[in-house]
Amino acid sequence: MTNERRVLLHQNKQALAGSVAARFLTNMVDVLHEQDEANVVLTGGSVGIAVLAAINESAARDTIDWSRVNFWWGDDRWLPRADPERNELQAREALLDHISVPAENIHAFGASDDDVEAGTDALDAASAHYAAELLARAPEGSQYPRFDVTFLGVGPDGHIASLFPHRSGIREREASVIAVRDSPKPPADRLSLTRPVINSSDRVWLVLAGSDKASALGLALAGASRDEVPAAGIKGRYHTVFFVDNDAAAQVPESLIAAAY
């Protein structure tokens, strides 16, 4: 296997979501043929959720033994559990509530209305709890599971998960999970995996659409620093693929693009 980056171009957001969904289902068949279970990291955002909806709508959806798939999140907003802006709720509505996945296989971040011990900083407690949950499912000698596929969105500023440009989070090397405060994108408080955890994934799939993402994508592929453009610091162990539409690819050199119409 190689770990070089690839850019796969699609005509529009709908074609992008359908293509990624089909690739994911095929990939899960292969992974579950080779190992007992799979670990998948989900993302939010309109494109990330569109991919999950396309998986749900696929005729191949039920070819997967979902009882052997664990779902995690790259980040989430520190909001009440039922808030429609939470990545967890959006993913449940798009896919997870429609497949036969056991509740214990869904590893969501804590929410702002969860019960916490009196006198405890709730956001820090939630960060520590998720780190412990990762550790509990990790192979010996690691802080987190071996992830088979990690989905990421990319913001117009190049942020991934809740790791923002010129913030300490993108430089974190020891912790597996961080509490994010004063986020430049509301809401201010969030929870996020760190870059080493994301980069430990066998496959990192970045999905993005729209002209507002073109500059960030172009800079990420042109060698910008991870502090300036966090997406530039992301690379999976074996595969790193940018799934993009025509608008998002406007500033990507043609030599890096493979059409996926």
Side-chain angles (χ1 to χ4, degrees), residues 5 218-225 232:
R5 292 173 172 176
L219 288 169
L221 294 171
S225 73

Side-chain angles (χ1 to χ4, degrees), residues 15-196:
L16 169 62
S19 174
V20 177
R23 285 174 180 268
F24 174 75
L25 290 165
T26 299
N27 184 262
M28 281 297 100
V29 169
D30 293 341
V31 167
L32 293 174
H33 179 72
E34 297 174 357
Q35 56 197 52
D36 291 338
E37 65 176 14
N39 286 284
V40 176
V41 179
L42 301 179
T43 187
S46 62
V47 184
I49 299 304
V51 170
L52 298 185
I55 293 170
N56 182 52
E57 294 164 4
S58 172
R61 185 194 72 179
D62 294 331
T63 63
I64 306 300
D65 181 355
W66 296 108
S67 70
R68 297 164 58 197
V69 181
N70 287 279
F71 291 100
W72 308 80
W73 274 264
D75 73 323
D76 215 335
R77 299 165 174 87
W78 186 241
L79 295 168
R81 185 73 62 181
D83 192 294
E85 292 299 309
R86 271 185 63 88
N87 293 338
E88 174 200 356
L89 182 62
Q90 293 176 15
R92 288 181 181 276
E93 292 177 345
L95 174 65
L96 302 182
D97 288 348
H98 308 283
I99 58 176
S100 299
V101 56
E104 60 268 24
N105 287 19
I106 299 175
H107 308 275
F109 279 107
S112 63
D113 56 348
D114 290 347
D115 291 333
V116 295
E117 183 179 344
T120 300
D121 183 287
L123 190 61
D124 284 342
S127 174
H129 182 272
Y130 207 71
E133 191 167 358
L134 289 167
L135 181 62
R137 303 300 295 263
E140 186 175 354
S142 179
Q143 292 180 268
Y144 32 82
R146 180 167 179 173
F147 297 112
D148 298 286
V149 177
T150 290
F151 288 104
L152 290 175
V154 179
D157 61 354
H159 82 265
I160 44 91
S162 284
L163 306 178
F164 294 93
H166 308 297
R167 299 292 180 105
S168 60
I170 190 60
R171 299 188 292 272
E172 176 61 49
R173 300 179 65 178
E174 301 299 327
S176 59
V177 182
I178 57 171
V180 178
R181 295 178 171 86
D182 298 322
S183 161
K185 179 180 179 181
D189 294 343
R190 296 157 173 259
L191 293 159
S192 181
L193 299 185
T194 58
R195 191 175 65 92

